[in-house]
Amino acid sequence: MMDILLGGSYRQKGEKDKALEYFQKALAIAKIVDNKRLIARLNNSLGNLNFDGKELEKAMEYYTSALNILNELGSERGIAVAYGNMGNIHGHNDDNKSSLEYHQKALDTYKKLEDHPGIGWVLSNMGVIYRNIGNLAKAEISYKKSYDILKSTGNKKNMAFPLGNLAGIETVKGKYNEAISYYQDYFDIQSDIGHQKRLSHGNYYLGSTLVKNGDLNNALPYLDKAIDIQTELGLKDELVESEIYRALCLKKLNEEFEMDRVIELVDSTELSYDSLIRQMLNWIKRLMNWNRNSGRNINPIQSQKP
């Protein structure tokens, strides 16, 4: 049991390797004593860990193993958890139809059990799928229902997710002040919890949205902190976006910045859904190509103060 607690603690902090070590130790012991319920629980935990690391095929293998055992045991709540997790995998694989089917199975089971935290969790995940298929109205309804339910149960950790997603909806609408308010609440929760990867997201979301809202000086500390955490954790995709927003922010402030570092990061990057990032990325790549074609050394390039 101590290995499970330690594994969960390290996952909470975003330390995947340490979490993996303790979860695998616990799984080995559970198999020796043939504790099927614990084996299913650990398969689910390992699935979550691989999902965090975007290793979706491995995650699905663990979730499927958990579901098979839980069906054998007749554990309805465990089955609902597995359905929800498998729905998330299908969502990340852009199979939105299958994702909604699995989430609906999970939701029906949670409602039968009157499991309010479970209902709130699934509604938040369904909101993500509705947003993916362009139904922002349904997405917003799902997120708000999820937030209200999770807030009423005091589930702070999961309550952060619908907040972040509601902020994303407001950003799409161009309502940046509302988005910043939601992101601030998301950031405060992640600061309390101490999950470093999600805290980097909180810093990035606040920083990038403040840039969009024209509040450049307040944006910089959040982007700097996001970059520090993302560099430490090796989160390359997130780091690229934070660096681009930081460069955009400094450029608008007529401050100097090390363009060569940004160029190195974006050289082979295929970003992004964010229009400002696309704009900045294209500007950087045009500058990079101009320097290469002219034979100039791009190391380092800095913006010039007027």
Side-chain angles (χ1 to χ4, degrees):
M1 184 62 72
M2 182 57 70
D3 286 332
I4 298 174
L5 293 174
L6 285 168
S9 176
Y10 281 117
R11 183 191 172 219
Q12 192 79 357
K13 295 174 184 175
E15 297 183 38
K16 182 189 173 187
D17 291 341
K18 283 280 190 183
L20 181 63
E21 176 187 342
Y22 284 104
F23 282 145
Q24 286 179 333
K25 280 182 183 177
L27 181 60
I29 294 168
K31 286 180 176 179
I32 290 170
V33 300
D34 196 28
N35 186 329
K36 292 190 186 306
R37 194 172 296 277
L38 189 54
I39 292 169
R41 177 181 170 185
L42 285 160
N43 271 291
N44 184 64
S45 296
L46 284 161
N48 290 339
L49 197 59
N50 280 280
F51 182 82
D52 290 345
K54 300 181 181 178
E55 297 181 62
L56 302 184
E57 190 172 334
K58 278 187 181 179
M60 183 62 94
E61 288 174 6
Y62 281 117
Y63 291 148
T64 302
S65 296
L67 181 61
N68 291 337
I69 296 170
L70 292 162
N71 275 320
E72 181 184 336
L73 295 172
S75 172
E76 287 191 284
R77 188 182 185 284
I79 290 168
V81 171
Y83 279 148
N85 286 332
M86 294 169 88
N88 287 338
I89 295 286
H90 284 296
H92 276 260
N93 286 332
D94 295 324
D95 185 354
N96 295 314
K97 183 175 182 293
S98 295
S99 179
L100 283 174
E101 287 173 358
Y102 274 101
H103 284 316
Q104 189 62 54
K105 287 180 181 179
L107 184 61
D108 291 343
T109 306
Y110 281 128
K111 284 182 175 178
K112 177 183 173 183
L113 297 171
E114 298 184 355
D115 183 328
H116 295 290
I119 293 168
W121 173 64
V122 174
L123 283 170
S124 181
N125 290 334
M126 292 179 84
V128 173
I129 305 305
Y130 287 131
R131 179 176 173 177
N132 288 347
I133 62 178
N135 194 332
L136 294 185
K138 268 195 171 181
E140 188 169 7
I141 290 169
S142 292
Y143 293 146
K144 285 183 175 178
K145 284 182 178 178
S146 169
Y147 175 72
D148 289 343
I149 291 168
L150 293 171
K151 185 178 180 182
S152 72
T153 64
N155 193 320
K156 180 178 279 192
K157 182 179 77 171
N158 287 339
M159 198 170 78
F161 296 111
L163 282 171
N165 287 321
L166 282 166
I169 295 281
E170 297 300 334
T171 301
V172 170
K173 294 178 182 177
K175 296 182 178 179
Y176 298 128
N177 287 327
E178 289 87 343
I180 289 165
S181 178
Y182 279 127
Y183 279 140
Q184 186 65 58
D185 290 340
Y186 174 93
F187 175 83
D188 291 343
I189 290 172
Q190 300 302 350
S191 296
D192 288 344
I193 292 171
H195 190 295
Q196 290 301 296
K197 181 176 179 180
R198 292 173 192 154
L199 188 54
S200 82
H201 293 163
N203 278 286
Y204 166 73
Y205 292 145
L206 271 172
S208 60
T209 309
L210 285 164
V211 171
K212 292 174 183 177
N213 206 35
D215 192 352
L216 305 178
N217 288 313
N218 282 325
L220 273 176
Y222 289 111
L223 293 170
D224 286 340
K225 186 61 178 176
I227 288 166
D228 288 345
I229 299 172
Q230 289 155 2
T231 301
E232 183 179 348
L233 296 180
L235 304 174
K236 184 179 178 184
D237 290 346
E238 291 93 334
L239 178 62
V240 173
E241 299 200 7
S242 296
E243 286 279 13
I244 288 173
Y245 263 104
R246 184 178 181 275
L248 176 60
C249 189
L250 289 170
K251 181 174 181 284
K252 287 187 174 186
L253 288 169
N254 291 317
E255 296 286 344
E256 293 184 354
F257 62 96
E258 294 178 345
M259 178 67 78
D260 58 313
R261 181 174 61 172
V262 183
I263 286 173
E264 183 180 349
L265 283 168
V266 304
D267 196 4
S268 60
T269 301
E270 296 289 340
L271 293 175
S272 167
Y273 62 87
D274 187 309
S275 60
L276 271 177
I277 288 182
R278 283 200 302 270
Q279 175 187 338
M280 192 66 181
L281 183 62
N282 289 335
W283 173 69
I284 291 170
K285 287 193 171 182
R286 283 199 303 272
L287 181 59
M288 179 172 61
N289 290 333
W290 179 79
N291 277 281
R292 284 174 175 166
N293 293 334
S294 65
R296 289 182 58 184
N297 185 351
I298 62 171
N299 219 358
I301 299 172
Q302 295 180 326
S303 67
Q304 299 298 313
K305 289 185 177 181

